[in-house]
Amino acid sequence: DPEAYLGCAELLDVAPGELMLVAAHPSDLRAARSAGLMTGYVVRPLERGPGRPPPRYDEGEFDVTATDFLDLADKLGAIWA
């Protein structure tokens, strides 16, 4: 439901395009993108358990793709003291 994503933007008083959903589930990110949000995919290779393939996604499908949250912070321009 797009309102799940748009409601967050409204609560934060920002435009949907100023908000990023970060998740390990491509389906959630696709829905957020359809609602106008930016998307950040954090890969979790064991999300489905050992020996099972991770969720499929296309290269460049999301605004940011990261291997973990520190990688995401770097890619978003975090400044480390």
Side-chain angles (χ1 to χ4, degrees):
D1 185 356
E3 188 56 38
Y5 305 103
L6 297 174
C8 292
E10 186 177 326
L11 284 170
L12 295 170
D13 195 28
V14 297
E18 297 176 292
L19 183 63
M20 176 181 281
L21 177 71
V22 175
H25 304 110
S27 58
D28 288 335
L29 293 167
R30 290 177 187 119
R33 182 186 60 219
S34 293
L37 276 66
M38 293 184 296
T39 55
Y41 179 56
V42 178
V43 178
R44 293 182 61 191
L46 299 176
E47 175 74 15
R48 296 179 177 178
R52 299 198 57 205
R56 294 169 43 130
Y57 66 97
D58 293 328
E59 187 70 32
E61 183 175 3
F62 307 117
D63 296 300
V64 180
T65 299
T67 57
D68 57 34
F69 287 104
L70 293 176
D71 184 39
L72 177 68
D74 285 340
K75 289 180 175 181
L76 293 177
I79 299 172
W80 303 99

